[in-house]
Amino acid sequence: MRHFIHAVLPLSILFSGAALADAFTLSSTDIAQGKIMNAAQEFKGFGCAGGNRSPQLSWKGAPAGTEAYAVFAYDPDAPTGSGWWHWQVVNIPKNVTSLPSGAANPAGSVGIKNDYGVAAFGGACPPKGHGMHRYQFTVYALSKKLDLPKDASGALAGYMVRASALASSTIEALYQRD
């Protein structure tokens, strides 16, 4: 038994390292984990005067069986009792693995109305003096394309995406207005 453990343990370490190398990851040239976003990602309206541009996003390492992707941007710190949806795009084709800065919803995908009332990206616009807000940009690898009603709510889209997610990866960027 001792020889078996000595032989198997190094192999399990080797294979676990290989599995980590193929992890589903999200990256961006515009935002970074724990860093403050630029005014380019600030909303234009509601008293904010930013560029209202979605950040560039790229992902890799999707698990086998991925049939589509979803991208969400969410502020859990918005003083609403339920956070604030800035962007929800579902059914992004499986051959799309990046979105440029200022991206429109990719062909074949479905945009969900954000909390500004539009089915597109809406930038950060925390209330002045409310302190630092966290903006969670998440990509989900989905096991199937989703069949959502035409005017699906952000909550319904979130539920259906999480129910079909094979993997996800998040960048949490920051923003505040003084």
Side-chain angles (χ1 to χ4, degrees):
M1 182 68 160
R2 177 180 286 171
H3 296 292
F4 176 77
I5 291 172
H6 288 281
V8 172
L9 188 57
L11 288 175
S12 66
I13 292 170
L14 172 70
F15 287 120
S16 67
L20 291 176
D22 293 341
F24 188 50
T25 59
L26 175 63
S27 61
S28 176
T29 58
D30 295 329
I31 60 172
Q33 180 68 29
K35 302 295 182 186
I36 296 173
M37 291 187 291
N38 294 316
Q41 280 76 51
E42 182 180 274
F43 189 64
K44 187 169 189 155
F46 283 38
C48 291
N52 200 42
R53 292 181 59 81
S54 62
Q56 182 279 333
L57 300 172
S58 298
W59 52 93
K60 64 181 181 179
T66 297
E67 291 299 319
Y69 297 102
V71 170
F72 287 178
Y74 177 71
D75 172 6
D77 302 314
T80 64
S82 61
W84 191 272
W85 289 110
H86 289 267
W87 198 19
Q88 289 181 301
V89 184
V90 301
N91 294 342
I92 298 171
K94 66 182 177 181
N95 64 325
V96 175
T97 58
S98 67
L99 298 173
S101 177
N105 297 337
S109 68
V110 176
I112 306 299
K113 276 189 184 177
N114 62 27
D115 285 332
Y116 294 114
V118 296
F121 177 77
C125 188
K128 280 190 174 184
H130 199 256
M132 193 67 70
H133 281 224
R134 297 168 290 153
Y135 294 85
Q136 299 164 344
F137 291 85
T138 304
V139 61
Y140 295 88
L142 305 177
S143 62
K144 62 183 180 179
K145 286 193 169 194
L146 304 179
D147 185 19
L148 292 170
K150 182 180 181 231
D151 290 323
S153 69
L156 178 60
Y159 175 82
M160 296 299 287
V161 163
R162 286 177 180 86
S164 299
L166 298 170
S168 67
S169 185
T170 300
I171 296 172
E172 187 174 84
L174 307 172
Y175 202 75
Q176 76 177 23
R177 293 190 317 135
D178 293 323

